[in-house]
Every structure is written in C-alpha cells, then in structure tokens.
Amino acid sequence: MPWKGEKDAYKIWLSEIILQQTRVEQGWNYYERFIKNYPNIGALAAAKDQDVFKLWEGLGYYNRCKNLLHTARTIVNEYNGQFPNDYETILSLKGIGPYTAAAIASFAFQLPYAVVDGNVFRVLSRYFNIAEAIDGTAGKMRFTHLAQEVLDQSQPGIYNQAIMDFGATVCKPFAPSCGICPLQKNCQAFANGLVNELPVKEKKLLKRKRWFNYFFFEHGAQIYIHQRAQGDIWANLHEFYLVESPDQVVWNNASVMELLQDQLGIQTGVLKEVSDLLVQQLTHQQIKARFIQVVLTKKPALLTKGQWVDKKLINQLAFPKIILQWMENAAPLKI
C-alpha cells in the first residue's frame, strides 16, 4: 500500500481520512488520484471545492471531504502550510479524532501515541486474556490505556504499524494463526484456550445470526470436548472445538487442513465428513452450525482448554440441543 512507511504528515492524514468508512481496495485508487492532483497541502487548500468533490465522488460520507478542505485551509492559513507536529494541535483539527491524530503523530513525527484500531484491540485482548468488551465505554478506555502502556516509546511509528499488521495477518479475527504465532508462548488467551472467544463484543450477543463451526476431533476411541464459559449462550454445557465465523465458511479438505495447521499446529489428519447445516432458533438469535469430523493421528499439544473423553461416555455429558441433534445422526456417536 502506498501509504505504508510514509513520513509525510499530509499523505498520512489524507490516507487516514480516505480509509475512514472505506475499504482499502476501494480507497487505494482514490488516494493515488488525490496525490497526483494535489501533491501537497497547499495544492489541496487552493483547489476549488467542486473539483475536490468530483475527485471524491463515489467514496460517500461527504463530510469527510468537507473536513478535508476545511483542515487543509486551516493549516495553510494558521500554520503557514506546515502540518502541526504536536498531538493536541493535530487532534484539534476538524475531522481528526484520537486514532487519526495518533497515526499522524507517531508515523510522521515519532511521537509516543498508540494507534488503537480493531486489530490492536484484538491483539491486546488475546495476549493479556482480557474479557472486557472492546466495544463498551469502559473497555475502550481500558484497552486504550493498555495500548499506550505497552507502546515502544523509542519507535512508536514502527511499533504501531507492526501491531496493526500483526493483528491483520496473524492474530486475525477468524481462525488466527496460533500455530505459527511468534507470541504464542506468552499469549494468555492461548494458554487458557480462549483465543476463539476473544475479543468480547457487547453487540455480538445481539446478533440475529451466528455461524458455529464445530470440529469433532477423534483420536482412537476418544474425542475432544470442553465446557462453554459464562457470559454467552449455553454456559457450562459441553461442546466440541468451536470456531465461530462472521459468515458461512466452505469447508473442504484444503480449508480444514489450513485452519488446523495455522491454529493448532496439526500437520496430519483425515477429514471424514462435513455435516449439512443445522439451525437452532433461540429467543434473540439464530445459530447455524456445521460439524467437521477429523481423525487425528496424535493429540495436538496446542489443544489445552478441554479434555479427551471416551466416546462411550459422551451420553453422560450435557450438550446444547443443536449438538445433540447432530450426535443423534452422526455415525461415530449413535446415542
């Protein structure tokens, strides 16, 4: 991406404003066109409003464009065309919030301000095993303070970019690559088997539809199970290894083996079957589940949260209705 490693405050600011409420793939071309037409803040400030609005056309949320022009002209008129180099002044500019101000301050001026986005929330929540909701007021404050506390004061720009990239490529929202993660040894969520349950979001429990992907691991005569935690549906009931996804996932041999290797370091296994979709309607949400049966040649060391139990004992444990529904028809578990 053209703004990666950028030191020019104008270009950093421009990229951050464009990327507010815009996907990277869409914003990329707009950024390059803006830089070509307005290579510096003076050129943007001197531009005609309608010309800038025309260039912005298709990005939506036109207040961003209006604020862009207002701030460019403020910097030219009040700061001699030089982007302010202190955090508080940057934050005072129209259209710039704490995240954007921290990005400009750290990337352009190496000032020690943590950039806190969804990637950073996720990494911190998992690394420190914090179950406080990241979308609640108290949670946002807690994680913002924590991000500032662990910031590399001597290299804030590099650190901020690194932790955001780490969250985007390794500590991903869905199916994080725990098996190859360099922070695995010190990650508290990993140590407690809670990676797929963090971070917590208050709004998550209000979702109308949730996609549960249950991995039914078999090793000899044993299967892997664990108990669900408090704070969500089916607390204390048993379940198989769960990976909740934001949408439906197509499971085949390649996608299953990729997830197992990345998340659990499982190199060998045999995919036996992927179930049809099962649906359970709860009061405020709908659960859609698939069951992926995998035979393992050895027990993965990275499976730490639950326990291996004999198949014959499975009917003595309490499971949610949707799992019981699958178990009644599953060949390995006729009950």
Side-chain angles (χ1 to χ4, degrees):
M1 290 174 280
W3 49 81
K4 282 288 185 75
E6 183 59 63
K7 303 298 182 186
D8 185 333
Y10 166 67
K11 293 179 180 178
I12 295 168
W13 166 63
L14 179 62
S15 69
E16 292 294 341
I17 300 301
I18 288 175
L19 292 177
Q20 288 173 1
Q21 300 162 305
T22 299
R23 298 189 314 276
V24 169
E25 306 81 52
Q26 183 186 12
W28 191 319
N29 288 332
Y30 281 90
Y31 171 82
E32 292 186 326
R33 288 199 291 270
F34 261 86
I35 293 300
K36 181 179 179 180
N37 284 272
Y38 310 114
N40 54 59
I41 204 159
L44 179 60
K48 294 179 179 179
D49 287 15
Q50 289 308 312
D51 291 343
V52 179
F53 289 146
K54 185 64 179 176
L55 199 58
W56 189 271
E57 194 173 59
L59 272 178
Y61 298 96
Y62 276 82
N63 271 340
R64 289 185 292 166
C65 188
K66 293 176 183 177
N67 291 338
L68 200 71
L69 281 166
H70 184 279
T71 293
R73 289 161 184 166
T74 298
I75 291 173
V76 167
N77 295 329
E78 298 182 18
Y79 300 100
N80 298 317
Q82 298 298 310
F83 216 102
N85 61 3
D86 68 281
Y87 176 82
E88 294 300 335
T89 305
I90 296 172
L91 185 60
S92 71
L93 296 171
K94 197 164 186 178
I96 296 181
Y99 170 84
T100 303
I104 297 168
S106 63
F107 297 150
F109 305 114
Q110 289 300 304
L111 298 176
Y113 290 90
V115 174
V116 187
D117 68 352
N119 290 313
V120 176
F121 278 132
R122 185 168 57 257
V123 172
L124 296 179
S125 174
R126 288 172 174 166
Y127 188 81
F128 292 101
N129 192 18
I130 300 173
E132 190 161 6
I134 62 172
D135 55 347
T137 302
K140 287 180 180 178
M141 187 175 298
R142 180 177 182 182
F143 283 106
T144 299
H145 289 160
L146 179 58
Q148 191 63 38
E149 185 180 325
V150 299
L151 176 71
D152 186 330
Q153 302 287 318
S154 63
Q155 301 182 91
I158 293 175
Y159 174 90
N160 279 332
Q161 192 65 70
I163 192 171
M164 288 192 293
D165 286 351
F166 179 77
T169 60
V170 179
C171 198
K172 300 170 291 185
F174 170 65
S177 302
C178 301
I180 58 171
C181 175
L183 300 183
Q184 181 203 103
K185 290 182 179 179
N186 296 314
C187 177
Q188 294 302 302
F190 181 81
N192 289 280
L194 295 171
V195 171
N196 288 320
E197 297 175 31
L198 294 174
V200 171
K201 292 183 179 180
E202 290 179 346
K203 296 174 184 176
K204 180 179 180 180
L205 302 183
L206 302 176
K207 284 184 179 178
R208 295 298 300 170
K209 292 181 181 179
R210 295 173 70 179
W211 298 87
F212 283 12
N213 306 280
Y214 280 117
F215 284 80
F216 180 80
F217 292 133
E218 295 181 73
H219 180 264
Q222 292 186 314
I223 60 172
Y224 181 82
I225 62 169
H226 69 86
Q227 278 185 288
R228 286 185 64 84
Q230 298 288 337
D232 199 352
I233 57 172
W234 306 331
N236 298 323
L237 295 185
H238 291 84
E239 65 180 357
F240 309 122
Y241 187 81
L242 173 63
V243 176
E244 185 173 353
S245 57
D247 207 338
Q248 184 169 197
V249 177
V250 176
W251 294 111
N252 52 39
N253 193 68
S255 60
V256 168
M257 293 307 157
E258 181 181 5
L259 181 139
L260 297 184
Q261 182 170 341
D262 285 353
Q263 190 162 114
L264 296 170
I266 296 174
Q267 303 293 331
T268 58
V270 177
L271 173 62
K272 286 180 63 176
E273 186 178 341
V274 178
S275 77
D276 293 333
L277 193 66
L278 277 74
V279 179
Q280 182 176 349
Q281 184 65 53
L282 305 178
T283 305
H284 298 296
Q285 54 188 297
Q286 186 183 67
I287 306 301
K288 296 191 172 185
R290 284 193 192 278
F291 295 81
I292 301 100
Q293 296 176 236
V294 180
V295 177
L296 302 177
T297 55
K298 64 178 181 179
K299 295 177 181 178
L302 301 187
L303 277 176
T304 58
K305 183 183 177 184
Q307 57 182 319
W308 291 89
V309 299
D310 194 292
K311 294 177 189 176
K312 295 178 181 178
L313 303 177
I314 202 71
N315 60 350
Q316 299 177 18
L317 302 173
F319 289 88
K321 178 181 176 181
I322 199 166
I323 295 182
L324 289 172
Q325 183 182 344
W326 175 77
M327 287 167 59
E328 286 171 358
N329 299 297
L333 281 179
K334 291 293 185 181
I335 62 171

